[in-house]
Amino acid sequence: MNKTININLGGIIFHLDENAYLVFNNYLKAVKSGLEHQESGAEIIADIEARIAEIFGMRLKEGKRQVINESDVEFIISTLGKPEDFSDSDDMENEPFSGKEKNKRFFRNPDETVIGGVCSGIAAYFNTDVVWIRIIFLILFFFTGIGFFTYIILWAAIPEAKTTAQKLQMRGEPVTLESIEKVFDKFGAQSKESGKKIKSGLSGFFDFVINTIGSIFAFIFRFLGVIIAIIGALIAFSLLIALLGIFGSTWSFTNFDFININGHVLGMNGTEAIFGGGWRLIALRLGTILTLLMPLFALVVFIAKVLGKEINNSRLLSFSGIASFIMGLLLIFISAGSIITDFKEDATDTERYTLSGTSFNVQAEFLEGNSGFFFEVDDEVLRIENIRFNIQPTSNEEASLELRHSARGRSHSEARQRAQNYEFPYAQNGEDLQLSEYFNVPKSAMWRAQSLKATLYLPVGATVYLDPSIENIMYDVKNVQNMWDGDMLGREWIMTSKGLSCSDCPEIIYYRAQDLEDEIQDNVDEELEELEEDIERKLEELELELKRLKDR
Amino acid sequence: MKIENTKAQMRKGVLEYCILGILSNGDAYASDIIEHLKNAELIVVEGTLYPLLTRLKNAGLLEYRWEESTSGPPRKYYSLSPQGKSFQLELKSTWDALQKAVEHITTSK
């Protein structure tokens, strides 16, 4: 399929296909520019256009076609002759060639390139030697770095002069007989040799230097390109791995741990605990698969490109890749969005268990492999480790353990149901109060931000020993000594009305800096006073002595 | 000095005379004139002719009228003006003399 362009020749419309138009337009322009300035040039042009219309009409009739193609235009050119044939020999000298350079355009020059032909394109535009432009760019490159970005931007933004007409436009040469000679001799060698011949020795030397530097830079650019490609590939790869991780985490493979770190199946338990087993998990699984397809396709296309093989349907492939990516994201969002509504309402279940005795030894079961995960999934239960243990005074006679379990749900009743449905393993064995670092909820309840506040209420005077094993569940236990939770472990405590007080901590006397200073000041003042009194007494004695001596 | 250039110069010199000669035998379209000249290998491409025709017309040697065409836009139908006729006759005697002179010089070595 070719675009056609309509033209009007001598009052008749012709359809030209695009290539034919390009050639024909250049040709006619050249012819016109040669004739315009002649006496009654317009008339000659009209005659020629009429003739062309005649020939076009004939050829269309003969070929039973509707569209003028390149061969028709070539026929015109061979019949009517090159633009220079149109001139009357006598008038050649008079012809003004200095038509204004209105058609000047920026192009990259593909015939003189070091990197992308930007500099030579600019040089052609400003009609200077390319060496100077290159020097300016190199200076900008080395001293500001602007040169680099400017070059890259220009490289991307400026089109390459592909056709001879564009090459003429690049130099801003008016499309005249002289310049058009090149157009029609383009099958000959117009480019490199003729350009090189003109160069002087000086610029030849510069060129050598610049070309050398240029090829070094070309190498560096290529090198940078490789590095950027590697970095990009690494990023893409890690993204892929992350997605694969999510993907893997949504499936539980029997006897196969997808990514296994220290016995923990990364992410899998979490996904199961949060998404349950219903449609939301399916949506998530589907979503991750679809999302993964795009990088997979991209990888395929990339590898194919690296291997130098073009994939025929790469467009279809990338389109379906993007489509499935969006679909996948949508599914993930829907699934996740549905989960979020499950956290809307909050409910707390409070229960209080009376304990016997007033002396306790609080311990907790140390969980093997406790790595700080929120929760773990056993076969039937969800084991959650979000426990806050506190010890507070009570006015009651008896000690008690209060458990406040809160959970979230789509509705309040759902949250309440969830809050009531849990199990906190603890046991009292004489003085030993055995707690645990976790509590269990049924797997079907799923993880909905369950948390447990366990508070040991002790009457004043009760004693308690805090075993180091409760370190993980202690949470800001109030005490008279104002010690940190960690420091309280392994010590004997007695309950007072203000909270726990340490009964076996070494006595520590605290000084305040101000007190110390005051004390020192007092001492100094006292000693000064004594000194003054001493001096006065001595003076009195001396005076008496003096009197005694005088009297004698 | 290229032989092609010289040949072209020679042809161009006699071109005006030939056009007038063709038209002295009867009126013609530009394309007819071109046809004659092409057959005689006096011109290779048509482009050369149009400026020439216009110049001769402007000099008052030619006249034209528009004729409708079936295969394209209206065409110019050229004929010699009275001035053109006398011009052609004058050129003819010059040409004949020139031809003899040239023949004489190039053959009588």
Side-chain angles (χ1 to χ4, degrees):
Chain A
M1 195 182 75
N2 265 334
K3 220 162 95 177
T4 63
I5 293 156
N6 295 340
I7 59 163
N8 175 353
L9 277 180
I12 295 174
I13 302 283
F14 289 99
H15 311 290
L16 274 69
D17 78 36
E18 211 174 359
N19 293 334
Y21 174 78
L22 282 177
V23 179
F24 182 67
N25 189 37
N26 278 336
Y27 173 72
L28 204 60
K29 256 191 202 162
V31 171
K32 279 183 182 173
S33 71
L35 295 170
E36 257 165 6
H37 310 287
Q38 284 187 23
E39 205 191 329
S40 49
E43 193 183 345
I44 301 171
I45 292 167
D47 285 351
I48 291 166
E49 284 191 353
R51 176 66 180 152
I52 294 171
E54 211 171 54
I55 294 173
F56 275 169
M58 262 160 47
R59 280 180 69 91
L60 288 181
K61 222 178 199 174
E62 279 168 21
K64 294 197 166 74
R65 287 177 290 131
Q66 296 205 315
V67 177
I68 303 292
N69 58 30
E70 253 178 301
S71 73
D72 295 326
V73 174
E74 270 160 30
F75 179 78
I76 288 287
I77 294 169
S78 68
T79 312
L80 289 178
K82 292 178 184 181
E84 62 264 31
D85 293 330
F86 284 80
S87 60
D88 246 351
S89 51
D90 321 340
D91 300 338
M92 273 292 255
E93 282 84 7
N94 313 347
E95 228 170 87
F97 270 111
S98 59
K100 261 291 157 206
E101 303 168 348
K102 50 195 165 189
N103 276 332
K104 210 167 203 181
R105 274 193 62 193
F106 258 131
F107 280 108
R108 285 188 287 116
N109 184 355
D111 296 333
E112 277 180 77
T113 66
V114 173
I115 301 162
V118 172
C119 288
S120 50
I122 293 171
Y125 187 84
F126 291 111
N127 208 5
T128 51
D129 198 307
V130 61
V131 175
W132 303 115
I133 308 292
R134 284 186 184 147
I135 286 173
I136 289 169
F137 261 95
L138 278 181
I139 289 169
L140 283 176
F141 184 93
F142 279 118
F143 292 102
T144 65
I146 296 169
F148 177 76
F149 294 105
T150 317
Y151 195 95
I152 296 293
I153 290 165
L154 289 178
W155 195 358
I158 301 178
E160 193 180 81
K162 281 179 185 143
T163 68
T164 313
Q166 285 174 333
K167 281 174 192 170
L168 282 172
Q169 277 192 320
M170 174 182 75
R171 296 199 179 78
E173 283 176 29
V175 192
T176 60
L177 297 184
E178 244 184 9
S179 64
I180 277 299
E181 262 173 38
K182 289 180 194 164
V183 176
F184 288 94
D185 293 344
K186 72 180 166 189
F187 312 104
Q190 172 246 330
S191 56
K192 295 192 175 172
E193 286 74 20
S194 59
K196 271 178 187 161
K197 261 183 249 164
I198 306 162
K199 273 175 196 150
S200 66
L202 182 70
S203 81
F205 169 73
F206 271 125
D207 246 24
F208 171 73
V209 176
I210 298 296
N211 281 340
T212 313
I213 296 172
S215 35
I216 291 169
F217 271 99
F219 174 76
I220 291 172
F221 274 124
R222 243 168 258 154
F223 187 66
L224 280 177
V226 169
I227 286 178
I228 289 168
I230 288 173
I231 290 172
L234 279 177
I235 291 172
F237 182 71
S238 49
L239 278 177
L240 197 71
I241 289 296
L243 261 172
L244 276 172
I246 298 173
F247 169 69
S249 73
T250 60
W251 303 85
S252 32
F253 302 99
T254 32
N255 300 325
F256 175 69
D257 294 342
F258 188 73
I259 299 172
N260 189 323
I261 299 169
N262 294 337
H264 285 265
V265 181
L266 195 69
M268 181 160 92
N269 294 336
T271 317
E272 235 185 320
I274 295 170
F275 286 84
W279 66 269
R280 290 184 288 212
L281 187 65
I282 294 167
L284 188 70
R285 285 174 174 174
L286 212 64
T288 44
I289 291 174
L290 289 176
T291 317
L292 267 172
L293 280 181
M294 186 173 82
L296 201 72
F297 286 178
L299 201 70
V300 168
V301 173
F302 176 73
I303 289 172
K305 248 188 196 149
V306 165
L307 297 177
K309 282 179 186 159
E310 279 295 327
I311 290 179
N312 291 337
N313 293 329
S314 65
R315 242 172 130 179
L316 180 76
L317 207 60
S318 54
F319 175 76
S320 54
I322 289 168
S324 79
F325 185 77
I326 292 168
M327 281 282 291
L329 278 185
L330 212 66
L331 279 173
I332 292 175
F333 279 133
I334 288 170
S335 177
S338 153
I339 295 298
I340 287 168
T341 59
D342 264 10
F343 286 80
K344 216 169 116 195
E345 294 293 337
D346 192 9
T348 305
D349 175 71
T350 309
E351 279 178 69
R352 207 159 179 159
Y353 303 96
T354 309
L355 303 171
S356 55
T358 52
S359 180
F360 298 97
N361 178 4
V362 183
Q363 310 161 14
E365 186 195 331
F366 183 72
L367 273 184
E368 199 58 49
N370 183 343
S371 54
F373 274 80
F374 267 129
F375 38 71
E376 290 178 35
V377 185
D378 276 350
D379 284 341
E380 282 114 34
V381 294
L382 206 59
R383 191 196 272 172
I384 301 176
E385 297 170 15
N386 189 8
I387 293 183
R388 296 171 174 188
F389 176 66
N390 199 359
I391 303 174
Q392 285 194 342
T394 175
S395 50
N396 289 355
E397 300 276 302
E398 292 164 316
S400 59
L401 183 67
E402 188 195 68
L403 301 178
R404 293 171 63 88
H405 180 245
S406 45
R408 293 186 164 268
R410 191 176 293 263
S411 64
H412 191 75
S413 63
E414 196 188 296
R416 169 149 300 283
Q417 212 177 354
R418 200 171 265 132
Q420 285 166 351
N421 201 354
Y422 75 101
E423 183 212 351
F424 179 63
Y426 79 95
Q428 192 186 8
N429 209 340
E431 283 195 354
D432 291 347
L433 180 61
Q434 187 77 42
L435 304 174
S436 27
E437 289 192 326
Y438 61 92
F439 60 98
N440 292 326
V441 299
K443 205 169 166 182
S444 59
M446 294 184 279
W447 181 79
R448 291 294 178 265
Q450 288 96 333
S451 69
L452 183 70
K453 275 187 189 159
T455 311
L456 178 62
Y457 284 99
L458 293 177
V460 173
T463 57
V464 63
Y465 174 76
L466 300 180
D467 191 82
S469 61
I470 63 168
E471 185 182 3
N472 286 336
I473 58 172
M474 287 253 292
Y475 189 82
D476 204 12
V477 178
K478 206 178 160 196
N479 65 86
V480 176
Q481 278 77 13
N482 217 359
M483 284 160 71
W484 296 104
D485 290 347
D487 297 331
M488 294 174 71
L489 297 170
R491 298 199 181 281
E492 198 77 46
W493 297 82
I494 185 160
M495 184 52 83
T496 70
S497 57
K498 287 178 187 166
L500 287 175
S501 175
C502 189
S503 51
D504 64 350
C505 298
E507 192 78 30
I508 302 168
I509 301 161
Y510 295 98
Y511 293 99
R512 279 173 60 219
Q514 189 61 48
D515 293 344
L516 282 174
E517 266 175 40
D518 288 351
E519 204 174 318
I520 291 165
Q521 191 63 49
D522 286 350
N523 286 344
V524 170
D525 285 352
E526 228 167 88
E527 270 173 41
L528 269 177
E529 238 168 79
E530 274 174 29
L531 267 176
E532 269 172 32
E533 274 171 27
D534 258 11
I535 290 166
E536 258 172 53
R537 212 181 306 130
K538 273 264 156 63
L539 270 175
E540 264 171 43
E541 275 176 18
L542 282 171
E543 262 173 38
L544 278 174
E545 185 80 17
L546 200 70
K547 230 177 199 176
R548 206 164 51 91
L549 284 172
K550 267 185 187 170
D551 287 350
R552 250 214 275 174
Chain B
M1 198 172 189
K2 281 182 185 170
I3 185 79
E4 284 304 327
N5 281 357
T6 316
K7 277 188 194 166
Q9 293 282 325
M10 283 174 129
R11 274 197 219 105
K12 265 186 179 165
V14 295
L15 212 49
E16 291 174 24
Y17 172 58
C18 290
I19 291 168
L20 296 175
I22 291 165
L23 286 174
S24 71
N25 296 331
D27 299 355
Y29 296 116
S31 45
D32 295 331
I33 302 169
I34 287 163
E35 210 56 43
H36 278 106
L37 293 173
K38 265 188 176 172
N39 289 341
E41 283 183 323
L42 269 169
I43 58 167
V44 184
V45 290
E46 299 183 8
T48 325
L49 198 74
Y50 289 95
L52 199 54
L53 283 174
T54 307
R55 193 149 54 81
L56 293 175
K57 183 214 74 180
N58 286 347
L61 304 177
L62 301 184
E63 289 169 345
Y64 70 88
R65 61 178 188 277
W66 289 103
E67 288 262 7
E68 285 297 320
S69 159
T70 49
S71 64
R75 293 194 282 186
K76 281 175 175 173
Y77 202 58
Y78 284 98
S79 57
L80 282 182
S81 68
Q83 201 188 339
K85 273 180 187 140
S86 59
F87 198 87
Q88 192 262 335
L89 289 173
E90 212 169 304
L91 277 184
K92 184 174 161 44
S93 58
T94 313
W95 172 254
D96 289 342
L98 201 62
Q99 199 188 7
K100 273 179 195 150
V102 171
E103 215 164 0
H104 179 70
I105 288 171
T106 48
T107 50
S108 67
K109 190 87 203 265

